[in-house]
Amino acid sequence: MGEADGGSESRVDGIPASEVPDGVTESEVEVLRAMQVPTQRIIAIGLVLWLVALVVTLVVPALHEGERSWWPWGCVAGFVLGSIGFLYVRRGRGNAHDAG
């Protein structure tokens, strides 16, 4: 397609006209929008789950002895990294400003 065919035109939905398959009309193309999710709530639930996992691994001796001695530290790492992510989203920096 050349310039005369509209090969460089951009449509409302951002798809170049040259990339629309033959036989597809403008009304048949659906515009997708970003889904709003409660990001802070999701992160908070994850933090609670990491704490529950930590308590379980510390209470049940079979889950923190021998080759599984690193499991509690994995829970601690998950909680610490999740806390950093929660603070980042809560402060609203960068792309996280629209999250939550």
Side-chain angles (χ1 to χ4, degrees), residues 45-91:
I45 291 170
L47 289 173
V48 169
L49 291 175
W50 279 119
L51 283 178
V52 169
L54 177 62
V55 170
V56 170
T57 57
L58 292 176
V59 169
V60 179
L63 296 178
H64 67 268
E65 294 176 349
E67 291 185 13
R68 296 179 179 161
S69 63
W70 62 272
W71 282 20
W73 292 110
C75 297
V76 170
F79 181 79
V80 169
L81 292 173
S83 298
I84 292 170
F86 183 78
L87 292 174
Y88 180 80
V89 168
R90 189 171 173 112
R91 283 188 71 167

